[in-house]
Amino acid sequence: MERALHPVNARLDDHLPADHKLSQVYRVGAGLTGLLLVVFGVLGLIDQIGFFDTGGDTVLALNTNGALSVLSICIGALLFFGMVVGGTFASTVNIVLGVLFIASGFVNLALLDTGLNFLAFRIQNVLFSFVVGVMLMWFGMYGRVGSALSHDNPYWRARHPEQAAREDRARRVQGRSPVMHGRCP
């Protein structure tokens, strides 16, 4: 379980202040996406659409029913929780839900014209699912993966502990001995 919560053995809050830009990106991504999903779900419930109705009722240009509205509110609430907690937790929630949104898009694409389409998905819902999935993954992976992470990034440091330790030692040595800038002592 610890490995799932902290996959690279780096806790953002241990290395950076709470208002660091990485945590802010994770929080903003979770909060905005959560708000979008909650608004969609509430508007779907206000229309009093049947729970498993597949009749083609739309909210915000997306097909919906009561089940999809409730599911959207629950996922939006989970994203809000991630926003409140912030840090690595918010990043992980964004990534996991992003992958689930993309998987949902593929599953519901396969179920579009079948009797198993109990969430009343249409092609616009599938595309929305793909877009939200990619957006959540981008917000979650920002500053966490990539070949050009800065060396003060907690995720880079967790993946390269020996090099990070060497750089820390070099910084400490440089801090103690002033640079002479071409002057002879």
Side-chain angles (χ1 to χ4, degrees):
M1 185 60 147
E2 181 66 24
R3 183 78 175 152
L5 292 175
H6 306 291
V8 294
N9 299 324
R11 290 185 50 99
L12 185 64
D13 299 333
D14 291 346
H15 298 283
L16 300 171
D19 63 344
H20 190 274
K21 74 174 184 172
L22 289 178
S23 184
Q24 296 303 316
V25 169
Y26 306 146
R27 286 174 182 238
V28 166
L32 289 177
T33 309
L35 177 65
L36 176 68
L37 292 172
V38 168
V39 167
F40 173 75
V42 168
L43 289 175
L45 289 178
I46 288 173
D47 282 349
Q48 297 180 349
I49 303 166
F51 202 71
F52 290 113
D53 182 26
T54 58
D57 297 304
T58 60
V59 171
L60 299 176
L62 297 172
N63 210 46
T64 191
N65 62 16
L68 184 58
S69 295
V70 169
L71 183 62
S72 296
I73 292 171
C74 292
I75 293 172
L78 179 59
L79 285 165
F80 277 134
F81 180 69
M83 179 188 73
V84 169
V85 173
T88 306
F89 180 78
S91 172
T92 303
V93 166
N94 285 343
I95 293 169
V96 168
L97 287 178
V99 169
L100 290 175
F101 264 91
I102 290 173
S104 167
F106 281 116
V107 168
N108 285 296
L109 181 63
L111 298 176
L112 277 183
D113 292 327
T114 69
L116 298 174
N117 186 7
F118 63 90
L119 291 178
F121 262 58
R122 298 285 185 257
I123 194 67
Q124 64 267 27
N125 296 76
V126 170
L127 295 174
F128 176 80
S129 191
F130 288 148
V131 168
V132 168
V134 169
M135 185 175 67
L136 280 172
M137 287 177 50
W138 182 84
F139 277 121
M141 291 181 186
Y142 180 82
R144 209 171 162 169
V145 296
S147 62
L149 295 178
S150 66
H151 290 205
D152 65 344
N153 182 296
Y155 301 107
W156 183 91
R157 294 177 67 76
R159 289 184 195 114
H160 305 92
E162 297 85 18
Q163 187 173 351
R166 282 193 304 271
E167 290 177 5
D168 287 344
R169 281 192 299 275
R171 262 193 296 278
R172 281 194 301 271
V173 168
Q174 285 176 348
R176 281 190 229 138
S177 59
V179 178
M180 300 301 283
H181 296 291
R183 294 187 203 149
C184 294

